[in-house]
Amino acid sequence: MIADELPTLEAVTAMEAAYAEDGQPALGPARSALVRRWRGGAIDRETALRLAFLDWLSCSEPEFLTGLPDVYSLEPDDISYFPAASQWLLSEHPDDPEVLFCLGLMLTSFPECVGASSMIEAERQGESLLARFWARPDLDVDAFTSRGAYGQYFAHMRRVAQPPDGRPALRPRRRWLRRRR
């Protein structure tokens, strides 16, 4: 790859293979490649979804599992791209079922990992996105095929997230814990 050439999404998927297929902590290079794409102006739906996911995952899972440093402990010139990527996705693809489902899950599951100033607001936004998704859940698991760690994670989540009696099976973790206490 030429120094000025931006990494392709196929190259990112190949970088994620060790993690997605073998569970090795190998996602750091994939995140770096996605950041290069973003900063280089290659802002598209797939780049935004995968970059948001890896930045969320860097906070929600430990580095020894993913190979991702916690984006909130990085140097000042590097930041979490979750806020910018999610904002771009919601402005460019506001009714996309995949965007609604994936962002909704991330915002409700670990709102502290999305760079929001208020976790309560992040949870509310996530709940709203999931409600919009469940109103017409036309997202097939096959949509995530061959899409690296992002695809593997959300294919699993889509398989297990079925709305019983019209209500989402997945609930924000915090609310569930509060009810049990």
Side-chain angles (χ1 to χ4, degrees), residues 44-171:
D44 55 64
R45 180 180 174 275
E46 188 71 8
T47 298
L49 282 167
R50 291 170 78 165
L51 184 55
F53 168 69
L54 288 181
D55 278 5
W56 172 81
L57 191 68
S58 78
C59 172
S60 62
E61 293 292 333
E63 183 175 356
F64 75 88
L65 292 177
T66 64
L68 291 165
D70 184 342
V71 293
Y72 299 104
S73 65
L74 295 175
E75 296 299 317
D77 65 331
D78 205 357
I79 57 168
S80 171
Y81 288 87
F82 187 96
S86 62
Q87 182 179 4
W88 183 88
L89 285 163
L90 291 171
S91 67
E92 295 294 319
H93 304 279
D95 297 318
D96 182 315
E98 184 175 337
V99 169
L100 297 174
F101 179 72
C102 296
L103 289 180
L105 284 179
M106 289 187 280
L107 285 161
T108 57
S109 299
F110 290 95
E112 63 274 17
C113 295
V114 299
S117 58
S118 165
M119 286 191 294
I120 293 170
E121 269 309 306
E123 279 186 286
R124 284 186 188 138
Q125 182 184 20
E127 289 169 357
S128 172
L129 295 175
L130 285 175
R132 288 174 47 205
F133 170 77
W134 287 119
R136 52 175 186 76
D138 54 350
L139 177 60
D140 192 87
V141 171
D142 293 336
F144 298 105
T145 303
S146 301
R147 293 173 70 193
Y150 165 84
Q152 181 187 46
Y153 183 88
F154 285 106
H156 172 73
M157 295 307 284
R158 183 62 187 107
R159 277 193 287 281
V160 299
Q162 299 297 322
D165 303 316
R167 297 176 58 145
L170 297 174
R171 301 238 184 265

